[in-house]
């Protein structure tokens, strides 16, 4: 099936942005495209029109389109490549039953066999994607922690966690090195009851390269995990990176 | 937890290889270690003793140990790195319920949006790991097929499939480009009822680099999938590679 910019213009035919809305134009566009991609109305592999073409079509600035496309890319819904345009990514989605307990006991088992090292805690420079994932307004306070798990003094995984500051402000650095945030939250009555996970492969950045003592660009397994508490409220958004030689994700589908 | 070669020697204390057995010595060692790793008796992250040390201990040649370790590495149970020794890998295992139907419909959906290109069919040079996965003796006939799925003329995934020759000998090259092997087998009454999957990240080989038009060493997502038919017999062993920009594996754990 060949797709081109003309095909995709149809979904935009009746498409209107509302300049009177309190929602920014880029966000209206992002939300609408995100819904259509999730609903399958804009299929996987589809090529979106160019920024300039869509800007002209919708009568908004190219900056607005660029920002909406960047948000889509941050959410993993599209892939942007110089010279190849913006393509809707191929997702394979599985609903996994009975998995949260297994996930939390796996995390506990891995922590038991490794030594945690806290690199950083901060409430500054939180990316917009973390606010979006946690469904919090930009005015909310989010804390990020970065830690690695070491096996024989070598990092085998590192995680960047975002959580509402309120939920983790009372945990000391020692708490965070001692137990997973899931366990610490559980002790405060917050139980993870659902998790959305996305698995993919990435090239190590300079920062990953330093943490793992590997060359920049080496393959790493990335797992993004958004955890929800028993009330359905997002309580943690985690991006974890694994050295593939030491980590495999096994599943039995029945 | 620090592990060293001394610790692991304990599990080998009462360990004996049987030179009278019809099973090769390396296979006896491989099977025993594999069982102990799966059972958690030899924990994730554990460092196995060196080949020479274990050879001395068990009174066998170093070649025997090397072969057993290579089999363990092929099965993904250990990681071997020059200068770092042989470490049991960190696995995270999930039992996924209700996933086979979703997997097969996802594969069908991806094929529907892409164009298949068959690269190769062969019954020669089948790796030992394929016989092991399919639980077939080395004297059995296995056929391998290599194909890519193209989106806008670019490969976004490629798969190397191993199956008993008997099951696929009647499928033409056109059949294989038209439909997935799962669908083709289904038409012959073979229904996939269970699948064991392992997800990891790898560095593109020269061959991957050529197929995907990417630099050697770029990250790829690898999914190994062993499929079983309704009688519990392995019917396909597939290694699939995905360009991560175009593929994300999403799961909802509940």
């Amino acid at each position: 099936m060949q797709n081109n910019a003309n095909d995709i213009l149809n979904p935009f035919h009746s498409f209107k942005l509302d300049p009177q809305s309190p929602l920014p134009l880029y966000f209206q566009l992002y939300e609408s495209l995100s819904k259509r991609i999730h609903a399958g109305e804009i299929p996987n592999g589809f090529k979106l029109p160019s920024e300039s073409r869509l800007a002209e079509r919708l009568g908004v600035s190219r900056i607005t389109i660029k920002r909406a496309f960047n948000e889509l890319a941050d959410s993993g819904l599209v892939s942007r490549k110089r010279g190849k345009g913006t393509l809707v990514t191929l997702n394979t989605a599985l609903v996994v039953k009975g998995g949260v307990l297994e996930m939390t006991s796996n995390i506990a088992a891995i922590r038991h066999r490794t030594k945690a090292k806290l690199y950083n805690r901060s409430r500054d420079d939180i990316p917009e994607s973390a606010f979006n994932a946690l469904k919090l307004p930009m005015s909310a306070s989010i804390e990020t922690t970065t830690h690695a798990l070491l096996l024989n003094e070598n990092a085998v995984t590192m995680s960047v966690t975002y959580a509402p500051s309120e939920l983790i402000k009372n945990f000391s650095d020692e708490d965070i090195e001692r137990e997973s945030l899931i366990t610490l939250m559980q002790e405060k009555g917050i139980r993870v009851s659902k998790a959305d996970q996305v698995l993919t492969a990435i090239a190590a950045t300079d920062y990953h390269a330093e943490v793992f003592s590997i060359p920049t660009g080496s393959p790493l397994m990335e797992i993004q995990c958004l955890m929800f508490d028993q009330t359905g409220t997002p309580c943690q958004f985690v991006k974890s990176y694994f050295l593939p030689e030491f980590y495999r994700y096994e599943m039995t589908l029945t």
Side-chain angles (χ1 to χ4, degrees), chain A:
Chain A
M1 191 176 69
Q2 286 293 322
N3 305 311
N4 61 49
N6 281 325
D7 295 324
I8 192 66
L9 283 175
N10 290 332
F12 292 96
H13 192 258
S14 62
F15 189 78
K16 287 251 166 38
L17 298 176
D18 178 5
Q20 309 302 326
S21 162
L23 295 172
L25 291 173
Y26 89 89
F27 190 77
Q28 292 179 43
L29 180 59
Y30 160 74
E31 263 210 331
S32 171
L33 289 173
S34 165
K35 271 184 201 151
R36 284 159 191 235
I37 292 169
H38 275 120
E41 290 170 37
I42 305 179
N44 286 335
F46 222 98
K47 188 173 178 176
L48 295 180
S50 70
E51 289 174 6
S52 52
R53 190 164 179 159
L54 190 54
E56 197 186 339
R57 176 97 199 178
L58 297 176
V60 297
S61 75
R62 199 174 146 175
I63 301 292
T64 298
I65 309 293
K66 188 193 269 304
R67 197 148 171 215
F69 281 11
N70 283 344
E71 282 294 307
L72 289 172
D74 273 358
S75 309
L77 293 170
V78 301
S79 156
R80 314 195 73 192
K81 278 241 158 157
R82 197 173 291 276
K84 297 210 171 178
T86 304
L87 280 96
V88 176
T89 54
L90 287 168
N91 291 342
T92 286
L94 277 184
V95 176
V96 178
K97 295 203 175 100
V100 165
L101 280 183
E102 273 149 322
M103 180 188 76
T104 53
S105 70
N106 280 327
I107 291 172
I110 291 175
R111 282 195 75 111
H112 183 71
R113 289 169 192 139
T114 54
K115 197 171 156 294
K117 181 176 172 185
L118 183 63
Y119 281 88
N120 180 47
R121 287 180 82 164
S122 165
R123 295 185 189 181
D124 303 325
D125 300 322
I126 305 295
E128 211 167 323
S129 57
F131 289 93
N132 290 340
L134 292 168
K135 300 195 186 12
L136 288 175
M138 293 292 288
S139 58
S141 175
I142 290 181
E143 184 168 319
T144 180
T145 69
T146 303
H147 74 272
L149 297 178
L150 314 181
L151 196 65
N152 307 323
E153 308 297 320
N154 301 310
V156 290
T157 169
M158 67 164 283
S159 298
V160 182
T161 305
Y162 301 95
S165 302
E166 197 179 311
L167 294 186
I168 56 172
K169 66 180 176 195
N170 291 324
F171 301 141
S172 68
D173 292 0
E174 290 70 32
D175 288 336
I176 289 173
E177 292 204 334
R178 195 188 71 236
E179 297 279 10
S180 74
L181 265 187
I182 295 176
T183 307
L184 292 172
M185 285 187 178
Q186 207 159 22
E187 290 169 0
K188 303 283 177 200
I190 299 160
R191 192 170 44 80
V192 174
S193 60
K194 192 188 134 193
D196 285 335
Q197 287 200 117
V198 179
L199 282 71
T200 191
I202 64 151
T205 63
D206 290 343
Y207 186 65
H208 296 137
E210 203 183 312
V211 170
F212 289 114
S213 308
I214 53 175
T216 300
S218 304
L220 289 173
M221 176 110 169
E222 182 190 86
I223 302 186
Q224 286 189 27
C225 186
L226 178 64
M227 301 183 204
F228 299 84
D229 69 14
Q230 59 269 50
T231 71
T233 308
C235 59
Q236 268 191 64
F237 177 54
V238 188
K239 293 187 182 194
S240 298
Y241 304 92
F242 295 85
L243 270 189
E245 310 91 278
F246 292 109
Y247 189 80
R248 295 143 42 87
Y249 201 97
E250 294 190 359
M251 282 186 286
T252 295
L253 310 177
T254 53

